[in-house]
Amino acid sequence: ILSYTIRSGMEALFSKQTALNDAEHYSREAYERLEIEIEERKRAEKALRESEEKYRTVVDNAYEAIVVTQGGKIVFTNPRASEFGYSIEELASANFIEFIHPDDREKALERYSKLAQGEILSQRNEFRFVGKSGDILWASSTSAVITWNDEPAVLTLLTDITDKKLMEEELQVVRRLEAIATLAGGIAHEFNNALMGVMGNIDLLKMDLPEDE
């Protein structure tokens, strides 16, 4: 009986030791897997940060103003958008239509509605914007539908073409003045021809008159 009791105790002790060894082995494996997962997560987070920084650098330094709208509300702008006269804070959460010239709002809303319905509009459009001080600015825009925070949104790229429009207007004025000058020159030429004819006829009449008249 004593021998059986000792043997049973030894077997139980051995079984517990084996269980402890197995548990330690599994714990070590779990710890190693956890370390690997943590390292992989750190690398993924680092890659994500680097990617976000790259995109942020591109967006912040883009030549064009970048505006994202949802339901007509502005939800994102890059620093270039402030060149239209409003600060980033003033643009945030505002309705984009508020900044468009009243004469161009109908066209802008029609275009926005088509985009929101999924229609692809590839051509660029020109709109007038009202600056903060009331001055009229021109912008060339192109838009596309994107997903922003898991919701549909409209991405718009804006280029300030105010200087270009002013130059075009000045050129039109110059061309009109040139046309007027050309017309005036033609009229003056015709008038001179007619005047010379009249003077010639007067000279002929003088020749026919008696010398005492």
Side-chain angles (χ1 to χ4, degrees):
I1 295 174
L2 179 61
S3 175
Y4 174 78
T5 302
I6 293 173
R7 185 168 61 254
S8 298
M10 292 296 292
E11 289 176 353
L13 181 62
F14 179 77
S15 177
K16 289 181 179 180
Q17 185 63 44
T18 301
L20 288 173
N21 290 339
D22 289 343
E24 183 179 356
H25 174 72
Y26 291 133
S27 296
R28 188 180 301 110
E29 285 187 346
Y31 179 76
E32 290 175 353
R33 286 197 300 270
L34 181 60
E35 281 190 326
I36 293 172
E37 290 178 0
I38 291 173
E39 288 299 320
E40 289 178 348
R41 183 174 297 179
K42 286 182 178 179
R43 286 195 293 268
E45 291 175 350
K46 181 181 179 182
L48 179 60
R49 285 195 303 272
E50 291 176 350
S51 177
E52 289 177 345
E53 289 174 0
K54 289 178 181 178
Y55 281 110
R56 173 62 65 180
T57 300
V58 171
V59 169
D60 287 350
N61 293 278
Y63 174 75
E64 296 176 304
I66 299 175
V67 180
V68 179
T69 55
Q70 281 182 322
K73 297 288 186 179
I74 298 173
V75 296
F76 174 83
T77 59
N78 69 335
R80 183 74 66 176
S82 62
E83 293 188 0
F84 286 94
Y86 299 90
S87 67
I88 300 299
E89 291 74 21
E90 289 172 322
L91 293 171
S93 300
N95 194 314
F96 80 95
I97 203 66
E98 297 174 8
F99 306 103
I100 297 179
H101 191 281
D103 293 342
D104 293 341
R105 288 179 180 176
E106 183 178 353
K107 181 173 67 173
L109 287 172
E110 181 182 356
R111 178 178 173 83
Y112 189 87
S113 177
K114 289 180 179 180
L115 285 166
Q117 293 172 11
E119 187 172 339
I120 299 175
L121 304 176
S122 58
Q123 72 275 18
R124 298 186 70 88
N125 278 268
E126 296 180 353
F127 295 97
R128 286 169 293 179
F129 288 80
V130 181
K132 190 174 181 179
S133 59
D135 51 330
I136 306 302
L137 306 173
W138 280 90
S140 174
S141 71
T142 181
S143 302
V145 177
I146 63 170
T147 299
W148 185 271
N149 292 333
D150 300 324
E151 296 290 339
V154 175
L155 168 67
T156 301
L157 305 180
L158 298 168
T159 303
D160 188 346
I161 58 171
T162 304
D163 291 341
K164 174 186 172 185
K165 283 294 183 179
L166 291 175
M167 291 179 64
E168 289 178 352
E169 291 176 1
E170 291 175 359
L171 182 59
Q172 289 177 0
V173 171
V174 170
R175 286 176 176 171
R176 284 197 294 268
L177 291 175
E178 289 177 345
I180 292 172
T182 301
L183 178 61
I187 293 173
H189 180 71
E190 293 296 329
F191 179 77
N192 287 334
N193 288 340
L195 183 60
M196 288 180 67
V198 172
M199 296 301 294
N201 290 332
I202 291 174
D203 290 339
L204 290 174
L205 289 173
K206 285 181 177 180
M207 292 175 63
D208 293 338
L209 290 175
E211 293 183 357
D212 58 344
E213 293 187 11

